[in-house]
Amino acid sequence: MAEYQNYIFDLYGTLVDINTNEAKSSLWKNMAWLFSMMGASYEPAELKKMYKKLYAEETGRNLLQVREAQKDDNITAGEVEIHLEDVFEKLFAEKGAELDKKQAWQISLAFRSLSMNGIRLYEGVRELFWRLRQAGKKIYLLSNAQRMFTEPEMKLLGFYDCFDGILYSSDAGVKKPSFYFYDAIFQKYGLKKEESVMIGNEYHADILGADNYGIDSMYVFTAQSGREPDSLPESCRRIETIGDVF
């Protein structure tokens, strides 16, 4: 494989080990209390049901917008991303209440923290980034993530400032494995395909997405990877740990 200059990382499951559970009853009970105290009265089951409904509606709306913008009717719902704060604003509107952008951000952080069971950096990440820096390499993040969750979590873990460039799916409106999400980071930072490699733990999003875009990749299997693939594209190299990237 080539001598890479740009190392593009996935986040969750690749650099960060995170465990969340949005199905647990305590999440919806506490969020219903919070909503009610802020003027939008919900029962837990009612809130969960309406959340899912509005999430689906936002996804459908964004799908039409992305298809129109890209002039591509083959884009699927699994390739588009929403702003989750829009869902929370509409949950309040359903009850005749208002939620400003700052409050929506705070509600989103409460939702994330209540759903979270644990978060940590994988061993070897800091050392890997130091080696890449010493070698003069560029480090980028391409993450299927909501900015409002991810930036605070990266700052909490102390490595938010380690990247030369970051692109979240919530900002781009599309997510991996979308060709357009990969293209967005290459266009934003002026990257060259032959100098770049994608590193991730998710076969479809990270590996097949990178292969479809025409760049090399490295695959690391972690507890969050799901089923391990039987084979990898020729453009992909299997690594045992994140430290084996460089």
Side-chain angles (χ1 to χ4, degrees):
M1 290 188 178
E3 177 68 26
Y4 307 116
Q5 298 303 315
N6 309 309
Y7 289 74
I8 307 168
F9 290 89
D10 169 56
L11 183 63
Y12 299 115
T14 300
L15 300 175
V16 172
D17 182 16
I18 189 169
N19 184 294
T20 62
N21 181 5
E22 294 183 3
K24 59 185 179 181
S25 59
S26 61
L27 166 65
W28 297 101
K29 180 178 71 174
N30 284 285
M31 289 303 297
W33 283 342
L34 179 58
F35 272 54
S36 298
M37 286 188 286
M38 294 179 68
S41 182
Y42 279 97
E43 292 297 322
E46 177 193 11
L47 177 60
K48 183 177 181 180
K49 181 178 180 180
M50 184 59 71
Y51 171 86
K52 290 182 176 180
K53 177 179 181 291
L54 293 175
Y55 192 106
E57 289 177 357
E58 280 296 298
T59 299
R61 187 175 295 107
N62 281 19
L63 175 59
L64 294 177
Q65 292 175 348
V66 171
R67 282 178 173 176
E68 182 178 356
Q70 299 296 344
K71 296 179 173 56
D72 184 353
D73 290 336
N74 294 316
I75 297 172
T76 67
E79 296 176 86
V80 300
E81 185 67 278
I82 68 169
H83 284 106
L84 193 56
E85 58 262 46
D86 291 342
V87 173
F88 290 124
E89 288 179 22
K90 289 180 179 180
L91 282 167
F92 270 71
E94 286 287 326
K95 295 293 185 176
E98 293 185 1
L99 192 71
D100 62 33
K101 290 295 183 182
K102 183 178 180 180
Q103 289 173 320
W105 194 274
Q106 293 168 338
I107 285 279
S108 301
L109 286 180
F111 181 84
R112 181 66 159 186
S113 62
L114 288 169
S115 70
M116 190 182 299
N117 296 320
I119 186 171
R120 68 180 179 92
L121 270 181
Y122 278 113
E123 291 183 11
V125 170
R126 296 188 191 279
E127 294 80 2
L128 168 63
F129 280 17
W130 183 86
R131 292 195 299 272
L132 289 171
R133 281 277 175 247
Q134 291 298 109
K137 307 300 184 181
K138 298 289 187 179
I139 305 171
Y140 297 92
L141 181 72
L142 188 68
S143 180
N144 287 358
Q146 296 287 325
R147 174 195 285 269
M148 59 188 174
F149 293 164
T150 303
E151 281 193 355
E153 288 168 0
M154 291 169 66
K155 291 174 181 177
L156 172 68
L157 294 170
F159 79 126
Y160 174 73
D161 296 325
C162 292
F163 297 93
D164 294 285
I166 294 173
L167 187 59
Y168 308 109
S169 57
S170 64
D171 291 344
V174 284
K175 61 185 177 182
K176 295 176 288 183
S178 174
F179 176 96
Y180 300 106
F181 192 33
Y182 281 90
D183 194 52
I185 195 170
F186 273 74
Q187 296 299 324
K188 182 176 183 179
Y189 296 108
L191 308 183
K192 297 179 180 179
K193 289 185 178 183
E194 65 272 16
E195 296 179 349
S196 306
V197 61
M198 177 75 204
I199 302 100
N201 75 301
E202 212 288 324
Y203 177 65
H204 288 92
D206 302 321
I207 307 309
L208 293 187
D211 188 60
N212 181 57
Y213 187 64
I215 60 172
D216 290 346
S217 62
M218 298 183 195
Y219 174 75
V220 57
F221 181 79
T222 69
Q224 297 182 46
S225 296
R227 181 180 177 275
E228 191 167 4
D230 296 325
S231 61
L232 296 169
E234 290 185 4
S235 59
C236 180
R237 176 167 69 90
R238 166 74 184 257
I239 57 176
E240 294 303 315
T241 70
I242 195 65
D244 296 331
V245 165
F246 186 81

